């Protein structure tokens, strides 16, 4: 799986958009970009994934650059409950034994 | 909708005691099931995965075992706990979707071995 690089931390004001960047310059053509988050003392939560087109769901939007070497997760209206560690993962579609490997992620702090 | 349950939420056990953690999934059939461990300040470590009843694959040699007695039930066990077994244990499920696998996690069990 390609390596990802994320800033260590960032913060944003409640109600504003949170833009979380991720670099994955060695991504291969068949690798997807996945985002998970982990709120303190809870299990990780799947957020969104994409290959090359921008994706949006009820939780967030994922913007992938045309060269696919970086992406941005956007939380359009951050709330205090969005404070968590966010993990960007790049991996190819694999079988049932695919194991998730989380790096250090980015700690998002949403301030009132 | 699908939901995943784990219990207990927290557990404190002495060294040498047995362990049984249970995970159940609702709202889906024939899921792939996973047990992960997350040690304090560290990443996820896949312990076991299962593609069906009675089918268990182990990722790392260890003091733990897993069983899947029913389609949506996954159990993590140990006969004798070690101090190093302390951690946050997470169960997850996935189904095949267009050739890739998103995994959905349970709330976790925090195990402290004393």
């Amino acid at each position: 799986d390609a390596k990802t690089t994320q800033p260590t931390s960032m913060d944003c004001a409640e109600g504003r958009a949170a833009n979380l960047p991720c670099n994955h310059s060695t991504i291969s053509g068949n690798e997807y970009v996945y985002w998970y988050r982990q709120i303190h003392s809870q299990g990780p939560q799947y957020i969104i994934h994409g290959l090359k087109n921008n994706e949006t769901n009820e939780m967030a939007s994922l913007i992938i650059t045309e060269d696919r070497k970086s992406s941005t997760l956007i939380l359009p209206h951050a709330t205090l409950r969005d404070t968590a560690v966010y993990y960007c993962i790049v991996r190819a579609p694999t079988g049932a034994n695919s194991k998730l490997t989380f790096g250090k992620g980015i700690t998002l702090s949403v301030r009132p | 909708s699908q939901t995943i349950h784990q219990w207990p939420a927290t557990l404190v056990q002495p060294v040498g005691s047995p362990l049984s953690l249970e995970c159940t999934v609702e709202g889906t059939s024939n899921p792939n099931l996973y047990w992960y461990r997350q040690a304090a300040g560290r990443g996820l470590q896949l312990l076991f995965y299962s593609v069906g009843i009675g089918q268990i694959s182990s990722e790392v040699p260890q003091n733990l075992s897993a069983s899947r007695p029913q389609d949506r039930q996954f159990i993590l066990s140990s006969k004798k706990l070690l101090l190093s077994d302390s951690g946050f244990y997470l169960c997850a499920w996935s189904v095949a979707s267009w050739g890739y696998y998103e995994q959905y996690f349970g709330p976790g069990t925090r195990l402290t071995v004393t």
Side-chain angles (χ1 to χ4, degrees):
Chain A
D1 296 336
K3 181 179 177 180
T4 63
T5 303
Q6 300 177 255
T8 302
S9 63
M10 68 176 293
D11 63 13
C12 76
E14 188 176 20
R16 305 297 294 269
N19 298 306
L20 286 69
C22 181
N23 288 323
H24 31 79
S25 58
T26 60
I27 191 170
S28 300
N30 66 338
E31 289 182 317
Y32 284 72
V33 180
Y34 289 79
W35 282 84
Y36 284 78
R37 73 179 182 184
Q38 189 169 20
I39 297 170
H40 183 63
S41 295
Q42 296 184 23
Q45 180 184 23
Y46 164 80
I47 300 174
I48 199 167
H49 73 276
L51 182 62
K52 51 185 175 181
N53 297 323
N54 297 338
E55 302 289 344
T56 295
N57 63 20
E58 64 279 4
M59 289 185 66
S61 295
L62 175 61
I63 308 298
I64 303 174
T65 58
E66 190 170 347
D67 63 8
R68 302 207 327 120
K69 293 185 177 182
S70 66
S71 60
T72 301
L73 179 74
I74 301 173
L75 308 178
H77 305 287
T79 69
L80 298 178
R81 288 175 294 181
D82 292 322
T83 293
V85 180
Y86 287 76
Y87 299 97
C88 171
I89 301 162
V90 170
R91 63 187 179 117
T94 53
N97 62 339
S98 59
K99 49 187 172 184
L100 284 171
T101 303
F102 288 1
K104 295 185 177 179
I106 178 172
T107 299
L108 172 67
S109 300
V110 180
R111 61 181 188 276
Chain B
S1 64
Q2 301 87 3
T3 54
I4 179 169
H5 304 280
Q6 283 186 249
W7 61 90
T10 59
L11 192 58
V12 179
Q13 292 283 96
V15 168
S17 64
L19 173 73
S20 181
L21 303 181
E22 189 164 345
C23 169
T24 58
V25 180
E26 297 177 357
T28 187
S29 296
N30 196 31
N32 301 316
L33 297 173
Y34 308 83
W35 278 112
Y36 287 87
R37 177 171 57 205
Q38 189 174 37
R42 302 179 67 179
L44 286 177
Q45 180 185 33
L46 179 64
L47 303 174
F48 301 94
Y49 70 92
S50 171
V51 299
I53 296 174
Q55 301 178 64
I56 309 295
S57 297
S58 174
E59 284 293 297
V60 294
Q62 59 201 305
N63 184 43
L64 302 168
S65 63
S67 62
R68 186 169 177 175
Q70 300 181 45
D71 180 46
R72 290 169 288 178
Q73 183 185 30
F74 206 22
I75 297 172
L76 183 69
S77 304
S78 173
K79 292 182 179 178
K80 289 185 177 181
L81 283 169
L82 306 172
L83 285 174
S84 58
D85 291 324
S86 293
F88 192 38
Y89 287 83
L90 292 155
C91 180
W93 69 272
S94 73
V95 291
S97 300
W98 304 311
Y100 49 79
Y101 293 79
E102 305 99 79
Q103 295 182 16
Y104 299 89
F105 288 82
T109 294
R110 191 162 300 282
L111 172 66
T112 303
V113 182
T114 60

